[in-house]
Structure formats: C-alpha cells, structure tokens
Amino acid sequence: MFGARPRHSSRISVLFIALLAIASMFALSACGTEAGSPNASSTTEGSSASAGSFRTLDQIKQDGKIRIGVFGDKAPFGYVDSNGEYAGYDIEYGNRLAKDLGVEVEYTPVEAASRVEFVDTGKVDLILANFTVTPERKEKVDFANPYMKVSLGVVTPDNAQVKDVKELADKTVIVVKGTTAEAYLEKNHPEVKLQKYEQYTEATNALIDGRGDLWVTDNTEALAWAAKTDGFSVPIKDLGDVDTIAGAVAKGNDTLLNWINENLVELGKEEFFHKDFEKTLKPVYGDQVTADELVIEGGKL
C-alpha cells in the first residue's frame, strides 16, 4: 500500500503541474492579446503604411529607378511630343535629377487634382508637375525648395477681352480642378461662376468652343497657350499673389527631400534652369517673358 501511494501521488503531481503550465500559457496569451496585441498590431500596420507610402533615397538608388509624376498635356512644362516622348521644362529637370542620382527615370502622367494623392500613396517618388506651393498643400506633402515663380493669368478671346478682375462677376470662368486658380477664385471671388475640368486639354477645348468666357490658370501656362493659339490673348498677366513652383515628395521622406535641395544648389551654380528656360520656354514665349522673371536658381528667391 505504501508503495502504491507514491506512484499515485506522482501521477497527480505531474497532472497538476501540466494543468498549471497550460493555464499559465492561456493567461499569458490572453494578457498579450488584451494588452499588447492592439498596440503591436497598430504599430506594425503603422510601420508598414509608413514604409509603403514612400521610398527613401537609398531605396531609389538600389532599385535603379526614380518614379516622377508629371503632366502629359501641359506644354511647355510637361507633355508628350510627336515622338511619344515626354518633353518640357519639368521633364528637363526630371531627366537631370535622374542623371545626378545615377538612376533611370520613369514618368507617370498625373492630373492636377491627383498630384497629392499620387505622391502620398507612393505611386510616384516625386511630383514635378508645375506644382505651386500653397499652405494647404504643405499640410499634405513636403515641398523641396522652389525652381520657378508663378502667378495667375487670364486668357480671353481677342474680341472679348477682360482687363479687370471686377469684370469676372458676370462671366463663366474655366478652371482645372485642383489648381491654384480654382482655389483662388473660390476664396476671393465666390460670385464668379466656375466651369471645372479634369484636364488642361478639356479646359482649352471648352474655351475654343465658347463653352466658357475665359480661362484662369498659371500665367506661365496662359502666356504659352495664347502665344500658339490664334484669336486668344492674356489681358491680365498677374492675378493674385506671386507664388513659387517646386517638387514635392511624400510627408516625412527627408532623405529624398534633402538630396533634392542640395542638388538644387549645385544646379544653380551652372544656371541649369536658365538653360532649361532657353531650351523649352523661350521658343514659346518669345520676348513676352524673360528668364529672370520666371526662373529660380539654387532653390532660393
């Protein structure tokens, strides 16, 4: 009898210890799920989202390619030429950036209203689409230092010119969605009737067809378009404040942003943007605008 008890007691002890171990495992698991999992999950998701929203400078170099969002229909800044190649003032800059980085460039066409979304979601690394710097946009993207100056201009038919902003009140004004022209008119002239389009070609076609009385856009774009289009002119060349145009990266992409700013300083030493102006803009503007009126070298006004 005495010999049997220890064996029975031993079995009970082993069973008891096993049950305690199992219970402890469930307790630890429950604690981890209850207290740690949500935070761990959100941290992991947050890290994944952050890492997935942009590529750092080193990642771009490792991949051997930089993805740049540009306009495909806004000559002479970003457009597709007769050979099916991207061309224009912004494209020359994008090509040089890729060269200085030692990578290839992949251009992605964007519309004005989609510029923030494309860089914010990581569809492109950088936006070079005639992007005017505004306080509202600064909340959503990080702007590099500027490379161009701009204000708004008004394009009208030659036989129906509007020479004062007060005359806009009884007009139908064409704008492109997501542009500073739209934002400026909605804020400062809510009495104006706006006719909005997604693309620049849609806006200019509407003006030519007479579906609107005039078109408000960047004065650089206004002057370029009117110069090559018979029957139209720019009676108001400076509407609103003088702003700047700059490249934009995703919020927090400091490595790429800092490199772009450093590169702008180097480009300024060789007056890269003056040369860019001579090649892409002067043939369009002629003597209407000088390089010094538009160009910013070295990233500083």
Side-chain angles (χ1 to χ4, degrees), residues 160-179:
Q161 290 192 357
V162 171
K163 297 184 178 181
D164 192 295
V165 68
K166 296 176 182 178
E167 298 177 50
L168 299 180
D170 60 345
K171 306 293 184 182
T172 297
V173 179
I174 296 169
V175 295
V176 174
K177 293 179 182 178
T179 61

Side-chain angles (χ1 to χ4, degrees), residues 11-55:
R11 287 197 299 271
I12 293 175
S13 297
V14 171
L15 179 61
F16 182 68
I17 291 170
L19 288 172
L20 279 176
I22 293 170
S24 297
M25 289 173 63
F26 276 112
L28 287 171
S29 175
C31 288
T33 302
E34 187 174 331
S37 290
N39 292 333
S41 174
S42 62
T43 301
T44 301
E45 290 175 6
S47 298
S48 298
S50 177
S53 63
F54 63 77
R55 300 189 305 161

Side-chain angles (χ1 to χ4, degrees), residues 154-162 207 213-215 231-235:
V154 178
V155 185
T156 68
D158 289 339
N159 58 5
Q161 290 192 357
V162 171
L207 182 63
D213 297 305
L214 52 94
W215 175 33
F232 293 90
S233 55
V234 185

Side-chain angles (χ1 to χ4, degrees), residues 200-235:
Y200 284 90
T201 49
E202 293 175 334
T204 54
N205 286 338
L207 182 63
I208 292 170
D209 295 343
R211 284 176 274 152
D213 297 305
L214 52 94
W215 175 33
V216 177
T217 187
D218 289 351
N219 62 354
T220 50
E221 166 69 9
L223 290 166
W225 186 84
K228 67 178 183 180
T229 310
D230 291 337
F232 293 90
S233 55
V234 185

